[in-house]
């Protein structure tokens, strides 16, 4: 069994896949290293043989998690690293190591699945867009605050904005003008994300007409997916790229 980890700024997404690599045997999202270990130890019949991960966390944090995994399960952990070029894709950043590893792996995964030009949209703590040509040139991309950052900034800097997660979820049942603060905030932030998406689509069409594939991934992709019906929703796009960056045979 192979353990795959996507260690983001706020959460760790994990999944265990079998030796046939066809589908996940188990998966989840946790908020801490301890919760990850507890979740894995609770799996019946777990026998990990290999592990690979991508992390955007500080090196010290990542090394601590790697050591914990090696001690708990006796596996060697393969960590994805930046590269100038991989699998036919050329990193578009002037300093390629500054491109977030999660973005880089999502780009690799998107290009592999599209087999052509693609726009990769990722909705996590931040919302990101990356453009890849049919020849594999990564043109760069854009970053803006995602739903968690927008929501938290308003809660932090506006004294009268206070509400819980249940209220936030209920507020998104439609996108009519809000008649309560929670509705106004949640729907307003969602519409900002949709505006971001539509702007990226317009730019992609300027580059490639209609000859490109749109991928959406990340925890909040479902909030904007219906704005782009032709988009491919691939929740595990980063894991597609991770398998390319850290092949385990």
């Amino acid at each position: 069994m192979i353990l795959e980890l996507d260690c983001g700024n706020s959460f760790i997404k994990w999944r265990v896949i079998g030796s046939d690599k066809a589908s996940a045997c188990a998966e989840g999202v946790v908020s801490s290293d301890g919760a990850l270990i507890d979740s894995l130890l609770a799996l019946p019949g777990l026998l990990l043989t290999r592990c690979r991960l991508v992390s955007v966390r500080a090196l010290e944090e990542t090394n601590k998690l790697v050591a914990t995994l090696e001690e708990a399960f006796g596996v060697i952990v393969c960590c994805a690293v930046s590269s100038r070029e991989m699998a036919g894709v050329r990193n578009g950043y002037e300093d390629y190591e500054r491109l977030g590893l999660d973005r880089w792996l999502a780009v690799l995964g998107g290009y592999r699945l599209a087999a052509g030009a693609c726009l990769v949209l990722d909705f996590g703590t931040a919302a990101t867009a990356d453009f890849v040509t049919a020849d594999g040139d990564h043109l760069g991309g854009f970053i803006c605050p995602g739903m968690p950052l927008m929501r938290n900034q308003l809660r932090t800097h506006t004294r009268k904005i206070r509400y819980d997660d249940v209220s936030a979820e209920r507020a998104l049942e439609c996108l009519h003008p809000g008649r309560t603060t929670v509705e106004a905030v949640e729907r307003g932030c969602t519409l900002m994300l949709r505006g971001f998406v539509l702007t990226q689509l317009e730019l992609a069409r300027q580059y490639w007409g209609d000859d490109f594939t749109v991928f959406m991934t990340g925890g909040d992709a479902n909030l904007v997916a219906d704005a782009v019906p032709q988009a491919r929703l691939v929740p595990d796009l980063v894991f597609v790229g991770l398998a390319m960056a850290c092949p385990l045979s």
Side-chain angles (χ1 to χ4, degrees):
M1 294 178 174
I2 300 172
L3 173 64
E4 297 182 324
L5 302 172
D6 176 5
C7 305
N9 293 299
S10 304
F11 298 100
I12 300 174
K13 184 176 182 181
W14 63 270
R15 71 176 188 179
V16 176
I17 59 177
S19 55
D20 59 0
K21 305 177 185 179
S23 60
C25 304
E27 58 189 344
V29 178
V30 294
S31 58
S32 68
D33 294 0
L36 171 66
I37 300 301
D38 290 344
S39 296
L40 293 172
L41 291 175
L43 295 176
L46 180 68
L47 183 60
L48 295 180
T49 56
R50 289 160 290 180
C51 175
R52 55 190 169 207
L53 69 78
V54 54
S55 175
V56 298
R57 299 181 170 191
L59 181 60
E60 182 179 352
E61 288 182 90
T62 302
N63 288 342
K64 181 180 178 181
L65 174 58
V66 168
T68 300
L69 291 167
E70 291 178 344
E71 180 179 356
F73 302 104
V75 293
I76 296 176
V77 180
C78 176
C79 298
V81 297
S82 301
S83 58
R84 172 63 69 186
E85 182 174 351
M86 179 175 289
V89 181
R90 290 167 291 282
N91 193 315
Y93 261 32
E94 294 179 2
D95 180 356
Y96 72 90
E97 293 181 320
R98 298 293 295 175
L99 177 64
L101 274 171
D102 52 347
R103 286 176 63 196
W104 175 235
L105 296 186
V107 163
L108 292 178
Y111 186 71
R112 167 68 63 86
L113 295 178
C118 60
L119 168 61
V120 178
L121 301 168
D122 193 341
F123 301 94
T125 302
T128 64
D130 285 282
F131 299 76
V132 188
T133 71
D135 294 329
D137 286 324
H138 172 232
L139 302 179
F142 299 94
I143 305 173
C144 76
M147 281 293 288
L149 284 178
M150 287 192 284
R151 180 187 295 125
N152 290 338
Q153 283 297 302
L154 285 168
R155 285 177 171 175
T156 300
H157 297 288
T158 308
R159 291 183 180 179
K160 292 187 177 181
I161 295 181
R162 297 288 185 273
Y163 55 84
D164 57 31
D165 292 338
V166 174
S167 299
E169 185 175 348
R170 189 181 303 119
L172 290 174
E173 292 175 354
C174 72
L175 290 177
H176 297 157
R179 302 186 67 174
T180 64
T181 298
V182 62
E183 291 177 352
V185 170
E186 291 297 314
R187 295 173 189 178
C189 291
T190 299
L191 290 175
M192 286 191 72
L193 276 189
R194 287 178 175 236
F196 175 77
V197 169
L198 295 176
T199 301
Q200 309 313 307
L201 284 174
E202 181 180 344
L203 183 55
R205 291 191 182 106
Q206 291 177 19
Y207 285 135
W208 306 307
D210 292 324
D211 191 16
F212 65 97
T213 304
V214 182
F215 292 98
M216 287 190 176
T217 191
D220 287 324
N222 61 303
L223 294 179
V224 292
D226 62 342
V228 191
Q230 72 272 28
R232 294 178 59 179
L233 188 60
V234 185
D236 294 330
L237 189 58
V238 169
F239 286 143
V240 176
L242 179 60
M244 298 164 64
C246 298
L248 301 174
S249 55

